[in-house]
Amino acid sequence: MTAFRLKDGGLIDRNSRLRFTFDGRAMTAFAGDTLASALLANGRMLVGRSFKYHRRRGIVTAGAAEPNALVTVGTGGRREPNTRATMLEMFDGLVAESQNRWPSLGFDIGAMNGLLSPMIAAGFYYKTFMWPAKFWEAVYEPLIRRAAGLGRAGYERDPDRFEKCWAHCDLLVIGAGPTGLMAALTAAWSGARIIVADEQARLGGALVNEREVVDEAAGSAWADGVAAELASMPNVTMLPRTTVFGWYDSNVFGAVERVQKHVAEPSPKRAVERLWRIAAKRAVLATGAEERPLVFGGNDRPGVMLGGAVRAYLNRFAVAPGARVAIATSSDAGYRTAQDLASRGVEVAAVVDVRAEAAPRDAAGARVVSGEIVATLGRRKLRAIEVSNAGKRERITVDAVAMSGGYSPIIHLACQRGAKPSWDERLNAFVAPATQEGLSIAGSAAGIYALAQCLQDGIDKASAALRLLGRTPAAVTRPAVEPRDDTSSAPSWRVGQVRGKAFVDFQNDVTIDDLGLAVREGYGHVELAKRYTTTGMATDQGKLGNINAAGIIAAARGKSIAEVGTTTFRPFYTPVSFGALAGAHRGKHFAPVRRSPLHRWAEKHGASFVEAGLWHRSAYFPRAGETSWRESVDREVLNVRRNAGLCDVSTLGKIEIFGPDAAAFLDKVYCNGFAKLPVGKARYGLMLREDGFVFDDGTTSRLGAEHFLMTTTTALAGPVMAHLDFCAQVLWPQLDVRFASVSDQWAQMAVAGPKARVILQEVIAQDISNQAFPFLGAAAVTALGSIGARLFRISYSGELAYELAVPARHGNAVADAIMRAGEPHGICAYGTEAMGVMRIEKGHVTHAEINGTVTPDDIGFGRMVSNAKDFVGRAMLRREGLVADDRLQLVGLKAAGDDRRIRAGAHLLARDAPASTANDQGHITSACYSPILGHHIGLAMLKGGRRRHGEQITVWDGLRGEGFDAIVGPPAFVDPENARLHV
Amino acid sequence: MASLIACPHCGIRPKEEFAIRGDAAPVRPAADVPASDDRWNAYVHLRGNPMGRHREFWHHAAGCRRWLIVERDTATHAVFAVIDAQDVALGRTAP
Amino acid sequence: MRYSAFQILRQAFTGNRAWQPAWREPAPKSRYDVIIVGGGGHGLATAYYLAKNHGIRDVAVVEKGYLGSGNVGRNTTIIRSNYLLPGNEPFYEHSLKLWEGLEQDLNYNSMVSQRGVINLFHSDGQRDAFARRGNAMRIHGVDAELLDRDGVRAMAPFLDYDNARFPIRGGLLQRRGGTARHDAVAWGFARGADARGVDILQNCAVTGIRVENGTVRGVETTRGTIACGKLGLAAAGHSSEVAAMAGLRLPIDTHVLQAFVSEGLKPFIDTVVTFGAGHFYVSQSDKGGLVFGGDIDGYNSYAQRGNLATVEHVMEAAVALIPSVSRVRVLRAWGGVMDMSMDGSPIIDKTPIENLYLNCGWCYGGFKATPASGWCFAHTIARDEPHELSAAMRLDRFARGYPIDENGAGAQPNLH
């Protein structure tokens, strides 16, 4: 026989019949089923294959710890590998397929591995596959990778939505079993703001799976009632289908809600999964306990399940695991399984109790054997077990085994923040420290198993938590239940005889023998054994096997399990989808987009935009007939140099600085002096880090005696502002200075070219003639008759140029007006590409040069550095290495013979020197084609470069297979005398 | 590290609003300390880096933009105190 | 016991009963010529090369936990030598060369897999920076290729080429880069060192360093006082704590870096990919898990755990780069404590204290350096002078103004 559906009973809706397929085969289920219960109801015992030996595997659990029943569900972009069938709510149209088998689940070639098992024991791969060395990548690894993995990920984009949210509460209750529900009820009635999260769709925990009577009602009905009452209260947020996966600092919990994972077609209006970050003042952990398997020969054969799972399938889903079931137990829980089976008319062949001295218990009439299972038998199906009973071997015909190896409190979350689990001799389990800051553990998670005590503990722990929060807990009476405690157990990892393989970690195929081998070879520390054998490293992270593994290792080492300990608990409690953790931050929304106030103006002129950090900047403005970006850029450059152009420079950082000590403050943060800068003047400033290297540069203007406007580079606007904050608040707190970022408040445009003045004069009210407003002038002006604006006569392009700043909302209008005024003069829009060409022609630096490793002197500004004042970077700038004469210095380069394309990133060698790291003389930082010169040029950092003007060197670009000679010169190629700036 | 930080000006805020500079112990040498003095290197490059109590400069970058001194435990991530760094620099608050 | 296919076959027939321990569990002696503090990858490699290259076999490695319990067992297993600066590149290339022959040398398969490392770029500026880097590699004779977008697509078709916020424009590829089985590296060096006479003392925490008249004499440990001729510190994230026992203050901050592994998947990522527009790097192990990580959490920490916000940033980058992983699940996150230096580069040097040697500052790049770090540190200890490959990695470089700052972030460890 196989498993089958009972004629009646269960918490399923027999009127709602659902269709699904497994490996292409159509089956039916009822609403309320999981995929696992539905597969069992359809008689499917074989549902998966193990990782290493490809052994036939069936469903072991009815919950989150399932190691075997992993399937791939969904299609296309919704394809989802490694889904636990035990946690998947059935829906109409579900498509599931088995994994890690070829050609089919029933006949899997990979199962040949089982024959080789003596050769491929734990760690075998560390001892071979080493010869010849080249064969690893060519032969061995491809073979290993062919066998790797479980399910296959999809290649398509996920069509669904994901989202994230924050939530705050007084008390978070994790787990809505009997303990959690009572804790929640207590807190809710006390008026506290609470959140109740449970991984199941149906709340009640064990009450849903067991035959319990609470307040004279069926346990599940009682749970439904409490859940409904909680849901109706305004101070309660109920989160079913929500797994709390991590406990983080400040009592913040991470949880993922499966909002629409139980429907065939998710609504596009809602997320399919939602990440919750729950900031809880306190939390009650009521996560229950995990039943442990027993380790015996053939304990992985389909049909061998946990006792608790057998009861869950029987009571909740009305599915019997077989027609004749054996119980293997080291715990009184095995007798409960026998009673439940008998009550539903399923034959119990025997209760095999490993406890030699087990007191008589109610086995519902079944035979009790004091002994242990040695082996399971059967080919495609489980047919019998072999039992060792007082030295005798006996074969018992069965088609299912329910095993109960005692319980492990689920303390995963409680041990994620450094608390160490400790071994409890009485419970035969690891427990977490009972009181931790912000967290209390209640019920079975704290090793309290009897239902009556769990209900009471929920009340007590919630009441204690409420008192710590300064609240008076409501008086709550524990509901009436039948007294029953059948959870006492004996340590069960002391395995006697084994025939066949006895598995500790089902999914990763780790056996007792593997653990013994690890201990013999020196990997006996529980963490080393885990890493060497991979026990506990599968998708269930050792939920089922870790305690058995620790016990077996302890026995092999002749130590106690307390001394051996267990491995570290780390997030995630159960695996979490990347999608849930990423939320909406995906695709185009991975990072925000910053747009300049002149973005619309640029769009209107056909700009091609480029990402610059978060910004979208106008790179160039192609015109009809232009076939390459170079053509457009060349035109823009020539037009600016011959006529005029307008460029959006709004992205520069802008900081207003006020106060009696504003000038003194600038003297501290710039290496050059600002105290004597006259009002109405701008000055180039160089800012260093305290280690003496250049941090940022920009122009700062004095708009009043106690008022400056600083500009920064686009990339470092934020870091410079933070640096100023630090200097003002921490380093020189006595200076009376205030500042504010105004980067977003102003639209700023560079108007450059010989005709810049005549064009600008048409929109500016004030006289901007060379006499009235000479080079480096800075003034408040009026644009378009009424707009308060700021004008700076500064030039990045090397042409006669101005930068005009207007309030951001007027940016597009003023830019349009300038373009109109400039039309007769041939003005064009130009972008960052043309700006880049002109600054290279002029020898100006950007972050390609000031990359955090250059000194002022390296880039030709050595003489700017003040000797007369203290400033950030002053001391360290004088270190030996920063003044060494073989430092890289900024130079200009052009090809020695015929024009050659110069590329940034090429390195430099002395002429005819062989390429080597020792001979490396520097590298090219920026390069372009100069349309005004008619050839390529570059800026480079060259060892002792300023002494080498006129020298021929070799440009070496092995990466792109290029090399040629170039002539070193000063960095400024165009107008080195700065004559054009002063016209 | 704490997921939430109690800014003395803004209240309890998510850690992500803050930028961290590091050890708050080193004091910038006075302007008249010669550049060759070892104190400069110690100020710029050496760190206390204890396992346990540690005082760090944090910047409430996405909030009040004040530099704060956060005293906390680097082993347990417990936070003991958050104070305004300027108050310390001016001697208004004991460090 | 030599490992081989034949040995495996032989042992299989006797039920795998006769395998010998990979290393001894000796009691501490009262004195060693050299004691190495730290039984991680670097410490074990140092002991191995002290014995192998310099004939110094009276060596103990003291480890406060189990061997390999530090960062060698909690990293993303990437090996590469794609460095920019002359103080770094020859060192890391030597390391990669040692990786290439490591398994045969150690007789232990650490699964060095040269499946290639691609660093993606998303802008012209990044391309230029990678070109400079690639040429710094090529000029030293190291393989490097600059791929265009189609070149990247051919190797990594699963990336987002159509809808990305930061479009992929190309990548810098080092084909000889790849991954290794991290734990096995520690085990291989431990077994090799043990076979040459090195005592590996696990569960032996150093509690004090004995210094007399400016010369180191020994260490106090939880297993008693042990005298030594020379003492080498290879304590990674705990370097500051250990060095403080000898009165040294280091240019080091200890930070936590999280790493992650997904559930096992059929292999589809056959190379190492790093995202250029967000901190993210990923490979797929030979077991099928995606192994990946991002940036450090950003604060000093000795706790081997991180924060949720960093987890989210990493996952956002993952989905942005590889959209189809949205439905894949992440299985486990862990944290390592990193010895972040003031310029992002390591320190292998003597110290102002006689016979005390220092190996630290690996930031989050220590794994790939393991063999060369051991090689050069062993040389420094044995000869009392720096190895030429680590000559730039001096402790006094900060005071003297010779930082090895690959990304120009300056003395701000959380920006490296």
Side-chain angles (χ1 to χ4, degrees):
Chain A
M1 268 299 278
T2 61
F4 59 94
R5 181 87 72 185
L6 296 163
K7 284 194 204 58
D8 55 13
L11 304 174
I12 46 173
D13 180 358
R14 291 179 195 255
N15 296 319
S16 174
R17 190 175 285 270
L18 309 175
R19 287 154 304 167
F20 74 102
T21 66
F22 180 67
D23 279 347
R25 189 142 159 214
M27 302 184 189
T28 59
F30 296 122
D33 263 325
T34 61
L35 174 59
S37 68
L39 286 169
L40 288 171
N42 282 276
R44 285 302 301 234
M45 304 308 284
L46 172 65
V47 295
R49 290 277 178 171
S50 66
F51 177 69
K52 187 174 173 184
Y53 301 138
H54 290 249
R55 288 170 70 99
R56 303 162 67 84
R57 289 290 165 79
I59 293 158
V60 183
T61 75
E66 178 59 38
N68 287 347
L70 303 187
V71 299
T72 299
V73 293
T75 54
R78 295 196 178 106
R79 183 186 174 86
E80 203 165 290
N82 304 339
T83 299
R84 290 159 298 166
T86 50
M87 296 298 287
L88 184 62
E89 290 175 61
M90 181 53 66
F91 54 83
D92 198 49
L94 175 69
V95 177
E97 58 185 69
S98 60
Q99 306 184 151
N100 199 35
R101 77 291 186 269
W102 186 84
S104 72
L105 185 57
F107 178 75
D108 179 7
I109 295 284
M112 303 268 283
N113 287 356
L115 301 174
L116 299 173
S117 62
M119 268 83 83
I120 58 177
F124 80 97
Y125 30 76
Y126 302 128
K127 300 166 180 165
T128 184
F129 300 141
M130 290 180 268
W131 308 270
K134 290 275 176 232
F135 266 43
W136 178 256
E137 285 84 357
V139 179
Y140 304 131
E141 189 174 46
L143 283 172
I144 290 171
R145 284 178 83 79
R146 195 169 298 168
L150 299 165
R152 182 175 64 75
Y155 274 89
E156 291 174 44
R157 190 178 299 278
D158 191 331
D160 292 328
R161 288 181 52 196
F162 294 80
E163 65 188 24
K164 305 184 189 184
C165 62
W166 277 93
H168 298 259
C169 63
D170 296 318
L171 190 72
L172 168 66
V173 178
I174 305 166
T179 310
L181 286 175
M182 281 319 289
L185 210 51
T186 306
W189 284 349
S190 309
R193 208 152 54 116
I194 69 166
I195 295 174
V196 182
D198 191 285
E199 65 184 357
Q200 293 285 338
R202 181 160 193 153
L203 305 186
L207 294 176
V208 180
N209 299 332
E210 306 278 357
R211 292 186 304 147
E212 298 280 5
V213 175
V214 183
D215 272 351
E216 296 176 6
S220 59
W222 178 85
D224 288 347
V226 174
E229 180 182 346
L230 288 167
S232 71
M233 297 174 74
N235 55 331
V236 178
T237 303
M238 298 296 280
L239 296 178
R241 299 190 175 98
T242 302
T243 302
V244 179
F245 60 74
W247 183 29
Y248 298 92
D249 294 326
S250 307
N251 236 31
V252 171
F253 292 82
V256 62
E257 181 184 2
R258 292 172 292 280
V259 184
Q260 295 193 85
K261 297 303 279 287
H262 55 293
V263 296
E265 266 304 311
S267 158
K269 292 182 178 164
R270 297 163 65 214
V272 293
E273 288 189 292
R274 180 180 296 131
L275 177 75
W276 291 79
R277 303 101 149 189
I278 303 171
K281 287 181 187 156
R282 292 201 64 84
V284 170
L285 191 70
T287 40
E290 198 79 67
E291 191 167 31
R292 296 194 287 254
L294 288 167
V295 183
F296 54 83
N299 63 342
D300 66 326
R301 203 179 292 277
V304 180
M305 301 168 76
L306 289 170
V310 165
R311 297 197 301 277
Y313 290 116
L314 203 60
N315 298 324
R316 177 175 178 182
F317 302 106
V319 172
R324 193 176 146 83
V325 183
I327 314 281
T329 191
S330 66
S331 152
D332 290 358
Y335 297 86
R336 180 189 285 219
T337 311
Q339 293 155 18
D340 284 11
L341 285 165
S343 79
R344 296 306 307 264
V346 180
E347 184 185 355
V348 179
V351 177
V352 183
D353 193 328
V354 302
R355 298 171 297 181
E357 68 293 358
R361 283 169 181 85
D362 174 13
R367 175 185 167 213
V368 177
V369 180
S370 186
E372 61 187 16
I373 298 181
V374 175
T376 62
L377 305 156
R379 284 185 61 82
R380 299 206 148 239
K381 292 192 171 79
L382 175 61
R383 303 218 177 273
I385 55 172
E386 192 170 305
V387 174
S388 162
N389 177 9
K392 295 198 302 284
R393 294 278 178 99
E394 182 187 350
R395 189 169 288 195
I396 301 172
T397 304
V398 299
D399 52 17
V401 174
M403 52 182 174
S404 292
Y407 291 93
S408 296
I410 299 176
I411 54 174
H412 200 293
L413 288 167
C415 295
Q416 284 184 3
R417 292 176 60 202
K420 293 260 181 288
S422 61
W423 183 251
D424 185 309
E425 283 292 340
R426 186 181 60 83
L427 292 169
N428 285 314
F430 283 100
V431 294
T435 47
Q436 297 184 51
E437 204 179 328
L439 183 82
S440 14
I441 310 174
S444 302
I448 296 165
Y449 298 138
L451 177 58
Q453 291 172 38
C454 285
L455 293 164
Q456 186 61 48
D457 200 42
I459 300 171
D460 294 348
K461 295 284 163 58
S463 300
L466 291 164
R467 280 188 207 99
L468 285 169
L469 294 172
R471 289 175 174 275
T472 308
V476 178
T477 312
R478 172 174 70 74
V481 295
E482 291 171 36
R484 173 155 81 158
D485 185 0
D486 54 7
T487 53
S488 117
S489 70
S492 54
W493 36 87
R494 286 175 303 183
V495 181
Q497 303 139 307
V498 171
R499 226 178 63 225
K501 287 187 169 57
F503 287 89
V504 179
D505 185 308
F506 291 108
Q507 194 183 107
N508 276 355
D509 283 330
V510 181
T511 66
I512 305 183
D513 290 347
D514 291 319
L515 293 172
L517 177 62
V519 170
R520 284 199 299 285
E521 293 197 278
Y523 305 87
H525 190 287
V526 69
E527 293 280 1
L528 288 175
K530 165 187 157 177
R531 288 161 164 76
Y532 193 62
T533 65
T534 74
T535 195
M537 292 172 76
T539 57
D540 64 314
Q541 290 282 286
K543 285 185 177 61
L544 293 188
N546 268 4
I547 307 306
N548 288 334
I552 291 162
I553 291 166
R557 290 175 59 193
K559 295 191 169 214
S560 70
I561 192 168
E563 289 172 281
V564 165
T566 187
T567 51
T568 313
F569 290 99
R570 297 187 184 283
F572 303 84
Y573 169 62
T574 51
V576 179
S577 75
F578 281 61
L581 288 160
H585 298 267
R586 57 180 68 209
K588 295 280 188 206
H589 301 289
F590 167 59
V593 173
R594 295 185 75 180
R595 293 200 174 93
S596 147
L598 296 178
H599 194 85
R600 252 184 32 228
W601 165 82
E603 270 178 340
K604 202 160 60 188
H605 290 273
S608 171
F609 291 95
V610 65
E611 295 82 17
L614 296 180
W615 290 100
H616 279 186
R617 297 191 68 177
S618 37
Y620 57 95
F621 294 82
R623 285 185 181 173
E626 291 174 346
T627 56
S628 73
W629 66 272
R630 253 285 307 281
E631 210 179 327
S632 308
V633 172
D634 287 355
R635 168 185 52 74
E636 290 170 20
V637 169
L638 290 172
N639 194 65
V640 173
R641 296 226 182 274
R642 286 168 188 161
N643 298 308
L646 190 160
C647 181
D648 178 9
V649 294
S650 304
T651 61
L652 292 176
K654 309 170 204 74
I655 302 169
E656 303 253 10
I657 303 174
F658 298 93
D661 294 328
F665 180 69
L666 288 172
D667 267 355
K668 298 290 189 196
V669 298
Y670 279 126
C671 72
N672 50 326
F674 275 78
K676 292 178 187 146
L677 179 68
V679 173
K681 279 287 180 190
R683 178 172 288 173
Y684 178 73
L686 207 53
M687 204 178 277
L688 311 187
R689 296 189 309 233
E690 197 68 276
D691 66 0
F693 293 106
V694 176
F695 176 38
D696 200 40
D697 68 347
T699 307
T700 289
S701 306
R702 192 165 205 163
L703 301 178
E706 299 183 359
H707 180 198
F708 291 81
L709 180 79
M710 173 185 283
T711 61
T712 75
T713 59
T714 300
L716 291 191
V720 166
M721 185 70 187
H723 175 66
L724 297 188
D725 283 335
F726 188 78
C727 291
Q729 295 169 33
V730 178
L731 296 184
W732 293 285
Q734 65 283 2
L735 292 182
D736 189 357
V737 59
R738 295 288 183 275
F739 40 87
S741 167
V742 293
S743 300
D744 293 341
Q745 279 71 16
W746 296 85
Q748 193 151 320
M749 49 211 102
V751 183
K755 295 176 183 164
R757 180 182 297 125
V758 54
I759 294 167
L760 258 186
Q761 188 65 77
E762 292 193 34
V763 296
I764 302 293
Q766 288 76 3
D767 177 9
I768 58 168
S769 67
N770 195 36
Q771 294 72 27
F773 196 66
F775 182 59
L776 294 177
V781 296
T782 308
L784 300 186
S786 62
I787 298 168
R790 288 165 175 176
L791 189 66
F792 311 94
R793 189 166 160 194
I794 52 180
S795 175
Y796 197 48
S797 57
E799 295 299 322
L800 166 66
Y802 300 82
E803 286 188 16
L804 178 66
V806 299
R809 65 186 183 281
H810 296 303
N812 287 304
V814 173
D816 286 346
I818 294 171
M819 294 302 282
R820 272 196 307 275
E823 206 176 340
H825 304 285
I827 196 171
C828 73
Y830 70 101
T832 54
E833 288 290 344
M835 184 169 78
V837 169
M838 288 188 282
R839 72 96 189 165
I840 295 170
E841 290 175 335
K842 185 68 183 165
H844 285 157
V845 292
T846 66
H847 286 302
E849 288 78 31
I850 47 173
N851 62 0
T853 66
V854 300
T855 67
D857 189 59
D858 295 345
I859 50 173
F861 292 131
R863 273 172 304 182
M864 270 176 62
V865 178
S866 168
N867 283 316
K869 57 162 188 160
D870 184 26
F871 57 89
V872 173
R874 173 184 64 90
M876 299 309 272
L877 182 57
R878 285 160 175 73
R879 287 181 290 168
E880 169 194 328
L882 275 70
V883 296
D885 63 1
D886 65 344
R887 285 194 65 83
L888 305 181
Q889 291 172 330
L890 182 70
V891 296
L893 287 183
K894 60 180 181 183
D898 294 340
D899 184 32
R900 296 288 298 259
R901 181 170 173 194
I902 297 178
R903 295 189 206 238
H907 283 231
L908 306 174
L909 295 166
R911 220 173 148 208
D912 300 328
S916 74
T917 301
N919 289 337
D920 198 343
Q921 299 264 297
H923 57 274
I924 297 171
T925 55
S926 307
C928 68
Y929 174 78
S930 167
I932 200 93
L933 299 173
H935 60 79
H936 289 83
I937 56 173
L939 297 178
M941 298 301 292
L942 174 68
K943 273 189 181 174
R946 268 204 302 282
R947 297 191 303 270
R948 298 170 68 172
H949 292 176
E951 184 181 330
Q952 273 200 31
I953 55 162
T954 297
V955 171
W956 189 87
D957 197 338
L959 190 65
R960 289 170 286 212
E962 295 174 2
F964 56 91
D965 284 355
I967 298 172
V968 178
F973 293 89
V974 169
D975 188 27
E977 309 80 26
N978 292 332
R980 297 185 194 184
L981 304 179
H982 295 275
V983 293
Chain B
M1 188 42 230
S3 309
L4 305 167
I5 289 288
C7 173
H9 309 292
C10 310
I12 294 172
R13 306 296 309 164
K15 183 188 75 68
E16 290 63 53
E17 291 185 356
F18 299 80
I20 304 157
R21 180 186 170 98
D23 198 350
V27 175
R28 191 174 191 270
D32 57 0
V33 173
S36 56
D37 195 295
D38 282 348
R39 278 175 284 178
W40 280 106
N41 179 54
Y43 169 65
V44 175
H45 291 119
L46 302 187
R47 301 285 191 272
N49 194 27
M51 179 159 76
R53 276 201 183 233
H54 189 41
R55 287 157 43 83
E56 275 172 346
F57 283 123
W58 286 50
H59 187 218
H60 198 182
C64 58
R65 298 206 56 91
R66 296 296 297 177
W67 280 91
L68 309 170
I69 294 178
V70 176
E71 182 169 11
R72 62 186 189 88
D73 191 307
T74 60
T76 66
H77 294 175
V79 177
F80 305 115
V82 184
I83 53 177
D84 191 288
Q86 186 162 15
D87 287 346
V88 176
L90 289 171
R92 290 199 291 246
T93 304
Chain C
M1 178 182 278
R2 194 171 159 72
Y3 291 159
S4 66
F6 173 71
Q7 183 74 265
I8 285 177
L9 207 59
R10 209 177 79 160
Q11 297 291 339
F13 282 113
T14 55
N16 286 314
R17 292 273 143 204
W19 287 108
Q20 298 298 305
W23 40 76
R24 297 162 296 129
E25 291 191 17
K29 296 195 292 184
S30 60
R31 185 193 181 278
Y32 292 90
D33 287 346
V34 178
I35 292 177
I36 304 296
V37 179
H42 291 223
L44 293 166
T46 303
Y48 175 77
Y49 290 119
L50 273 172
K52 178 166 186 264
N53 293 358
H54 304 279
I56 300 174
R57 290 157 184 265
D58 186 27
V59 176
V61 177
V62 296
E63 164 57 46
K64 69 175 172 154
Y66 58 94
L67 69 89
S69 53
N71 293 342
V72 73
R74 51 186 84 247
N75 59 71
T76 46
T77 80
I78 298 167
I79 60 172
R80 57 183 172 88
S81 66
N82 52 1
Y83 279 77
L84 176 69
L85 298 174
N88 273 337
E89 178 59 15
F91 172 88
Y92 285 102
E93 174 56 16
H94 183 64
S95 207
L96 193 52
K97 288 220 171 80
L98 289 173
W99 282 115
E100 287 172 332
L102 195 68
E103 292 149 341
Q104 291 69 32
D105 185 30
L106 295 176
N107 181 232
Y108 202 100
N109 190 350
S110 42
M111 303 184 190
V112 172
S113 168
Q114 295 182 286
R115 58 181 73 172
V117 173
I118 303 176
N119 294 311
L120 299 176
F121 60 78
H122 309 263
S123 70
D124 290 352
Q126 276 187 328
R127 179 203 56 214
D128 293 349
F130 278 147
R132 180 187 166 199
R133 183 175 293 266
N135 274 318
M137 297 162 68
R138 294 287 284 250
I139 211 166
H140 187 58
V142 178
D143 74 303
E145 294 164 51
L146 199 63
L147 302 182
D148 61 13
R149 185 179 157 93
D150 289 339
V152 173
R153 195 196 281 262
M155 287 190 77
F158 45 84
L159 304 178
D160 190 350
Y161 296 91
D162 309 317
N163 191 43
R165 168 72 178 81
F166 299 104
I168 295 163
R169 302 202 189 279
L172 180 66
L173 167 67
Q174 183 178 28
R175 287 189 195 270
R176 287 167 58 245
T179 60
R181 171 79 183 91
H182 57 351
D183 291 318
V185 175
W187 299 339
F189 275 119
R191 179 166 163 268
D194 177 89
R196 285 167 175 78
V198 172
D199 281 1
I200 299 165
L201 308 174
Q202 304 182 67
N203 299 308
C204 183
V206 171
T207 54
I209 295 176
R210 287 196 164 181
V211 180
E212 291 168 16
N213 301 324
T215 302
V216 81
R217 297 292 181 201
V219 289
E220 317 277 353
T221 77
T222 49
R223 296 176 71 178
T225 302
I226 312 175
C228 65
K230 294 179 173 182
L231 181 64
L233 308 183
H238 292 271
S239 292
S240 295
E241 292 280 305
V242 178
M245 295 175 190
L248 296 179
R249 194 173 159 91
L250 299 182
I252 298 287
D253 259 342
T254 294
H255 283 253
V256 64
L257 175 70
Q258 299 189 71
F260 307 84
V261 65
S262 78
E263 293 182 339
L265 301 168
K266 290 293 170 200
F268 72 112
I269 299 179
D270 289 327
T271 186
V272 181
V273 182
T274 75
F275 190 20
H279 278 275
F280 180 72
Y281 35 91
V282 63
S283 65
Q284 187 169 16
S285 81
D286 286 345
K287 264 193 83 198
L290 305 182
V291 180
F292 57 101
D295 199 5
I296 52 177
D297 278 31
Y299 43 83
N300 283 47
S301 174
Y302 285 86
Q304 289 177 332
R305 58 193 169 84
N307 245 288
L308 183 56
T310 308
V311 176
E312 292 175 42
H313 289 318
V314 171
M315 299 300 161
E316 288 162 9
V319 176
L321 188 63
I322 311 172
S324 67
V325 297
S326 177
R327 295 272 172 166
V328 171
R329 296 184 195 85
V330 57
L331 179 61
R332 190 171 170 91
W334 62 94
V337 294
M338 308 289 139
D339 36 334
M340 302 297 295
S341 70
M342 294 298 141
D343 59 0
S345 292
I347 296 161
I348 301 177
D349 202 0
K350 303 156 66 169
T351 69
I353 295 167
E354 200 72 15
N355 294 342
L356 180 65
Y357 303 84
L358 184 63
N359 175 324
C360 66
W362 295 98
C363 301
Y364 35 74
F367 179 68
K368 71 181 88 71
T370 305
S373 170
W375 186 279
C376 293
F377 196 38
H379 177 102
T380 306
I381 293 169
R383 306 279 181 82
D384 196 38
E385 64 183 18
H387 191 281
E388 62 173 342
L389 289 169
S390 57
M393 299 171 178
R394 305 295 300 268
L395 180 56
D396 67 359
R397 68 176 184 267
F398 302 101
R400 293 176 59 227
Y402 295 97
I404 314 171
D405 193 347
E406 294 253 329
N407 65 5
Q412 183 63 38
N414 59 4
L415 299 182
H416 283 291

